[in-house]
Amino acid sequence: MAELASASHNVVALDPSRLPTHVAIIMDGNGRWARAQGKSRLFGHDQGYRTLKNIVYAARDLGIRFLTVYGFSSENWRRSAEEVGGLMDLMLRAMRNEIEELVQNRVRVRISGRLHELPPDLRTELEMAMERTRHFDGLIFNLAINYGGRAEVVDAVRSIAKRVQKGEINPDTIDEQTIASHLYWPDIPDPDLLIRTAGELRLSNFLLWETAYSEIYVTPVCWPEFTRDHFVEALLDYQRRVRKFGAVPEE
């Protein structure tokens, strides 16, 4: 009961007019949490999936417009075959289990990353989820899978180079907006708030271009234990900050 009262109090303290439009999350600490329980890393990932479901609907309920989460990085292929295979199976199972509820709640699914490198059954499921939800106007839930921030910039540069070859773009006119418009989802605004769990102080190749001016919130709580109340606390911390974007705020 005390936890529920705390969560309710925190939500009341939020200023609806100052919520971040786009929240990005590095969901770290699944394996660490599982080892502390004497369990396998895959057990931690499975619990992390349950946490993610809770946070997706918390974001929707609170009025967040865009939520991007780091599901599987392009570097995660270096992990053991058992863990990578388990993660692929988990993502496939999760999307199959959750798609109907996502549709009922009008959550729009997006995927950022190199989908063509994923197992065919997972790629098909993800593409179907995007297609089924593409007309929805609710929360946009963007899953970064087989994603790397540097890879995204490389893909954008390749796309621009091809257009230069075709004579569609003059190289002298290329600017930041040109690059931004060739990223995976240029219609998604840059994250206002980046949350990282498990206490690590690095970006881990996540949204390197887009987080140039994001506010960063780090919590020692491992992802499987991250609750709606922790999420609200991150939003409250964001609302206490003054965003400068390189300028000096007015007194």
Side-chain angles (χ1 to χ4, degrees):
M1 291 297 291
E3 182 180 350
L4 290 175
S6 172
S8 176
H9 174 75
N10 285 345
V11 170
V12 170
L14 281 173
D15 180 352
S17 68
R18 298 186 58 239
L19 286 171
T21 299
H22 181 184
V23 177
I25 305 178
I26 299 175
M27 307 178 293
D28 196 17
N30 289 339
R32 199 176 319 167
W33 175 84
R35 286 196 302 271
Q37 314 299 314
K39 305 286 187 178
S40 71
R41 291 180 61 84
L42 288 176
F43 178 83
H45 293 310
D46 191 69
Q47 183 59 44
Y49 150 48
R50 300 170 194 276
T51 296
L52 177 57
K53 179 175 179 177
N54 291 336
I55 297 305
V56 166
Y57 291 110
R60 182 209 58 177
D61 293 343
L62 292 166
I64 305 299
R65 288 289 297 116
F66 301 89
L67 177 68
T68 297
V69 300
Y70 210 0
F72 185 88
S73 79
S74 51
E75 288 77 29
N76 287 158
W77 296 105
R78 301 171 186 168
R79 297 185 178 185
S80 69
E82 178 186 8
E83 184 172 358
V84 170
L87 282 167
M88 294 296 134
D89 290 343
L90 175 60
M91 289 186 284
L92 178 63
R93 172 166 52 88
M95 189 53 69
R96 285 176 174 170
N97 289 347
E98 303 302 332
I99 185 60
E100 296 305 328
E101 191 169 351
L102 291 167
V103 168
Q104 290 171 11
N105 286 279
R106 302 189 63 80
V107 174
R108 187 172 182 179
V109 177
R110 294 276 186 87
I111 307 297
S112 289
R114 293 177 172 174
L115 266 68
H116 64 280
E117 296 176 350
L118 294 174
D121 52 352
L122 176 58
R123 183 175 68 247
T124 297
E125 203 70 34
L126 296 174
E127 289 172 344
M128 287 174 56
M130 286 193 287
E131 177 60 27
R132 289 190 62 186
T133 64
R134 66 189 181 95
H135 294 302
F136 293 163
D137 55 3
L139 170 73
I140 292 182
F141 173 41
N142 183 30
L143 272 161
I145 297 178
N146 194 27
Y147 173 87
R150 290 181 175 180
E152 181 179 23
V153 174
V154 167
D155 289 347
V157 171
R158 286 175 177 168
S159 179
I160 294 168
K162 290 176 182 177
R163 294 189 62 192
V164 169
Q165 283 183 324
K166 294 178 182 178
E168 297 175 357
I169 295 179
N170 181 340
D172 293 334
T173 66
I174 295 174
D175 56 14
E176 290 184 11
Q177 183 54 45
T178 308
I179 295 174
S181 67
H182 288 79
L183 298 176
Y184 292 145
W185 296 108
D187 61 327
I188 295 181
D190 292 343
D192 302 292
L193 172 63
L194 170 64
I195 299 170
R196 178 158 192 159
T197 58
E200 300 293 348
L201 302 175
R202 56 179 177 269
L203 289 174
S204 297
N205 200 19
F206 183 50
L207 301 178
L208 297 181
W209 181 276
E210 297 90 336
T211 56
Y213 283 101
S214 300
E215 297 296 322
I216 300 176
Y217 177 87
V218 177
T219 174
V221 176
C222 288
W223 180 247
E225 294 184 317
F226 191 80
T227 65
R228 181 189 179 104
D229 205 22
H230 293 123
F231 186 57
V232 171
E233 181 53 46
L235 299 179
L236 285 169
D237 184 84
Y238 168 83
Q239 293 190 343
R240 289 191 286 264
R241 303 194 190 182
V242 176
R243 304 193 72 192
K244 301 178 182 179
F245 298 99
V248 177
E250 296 181 4
E251 296 294 337

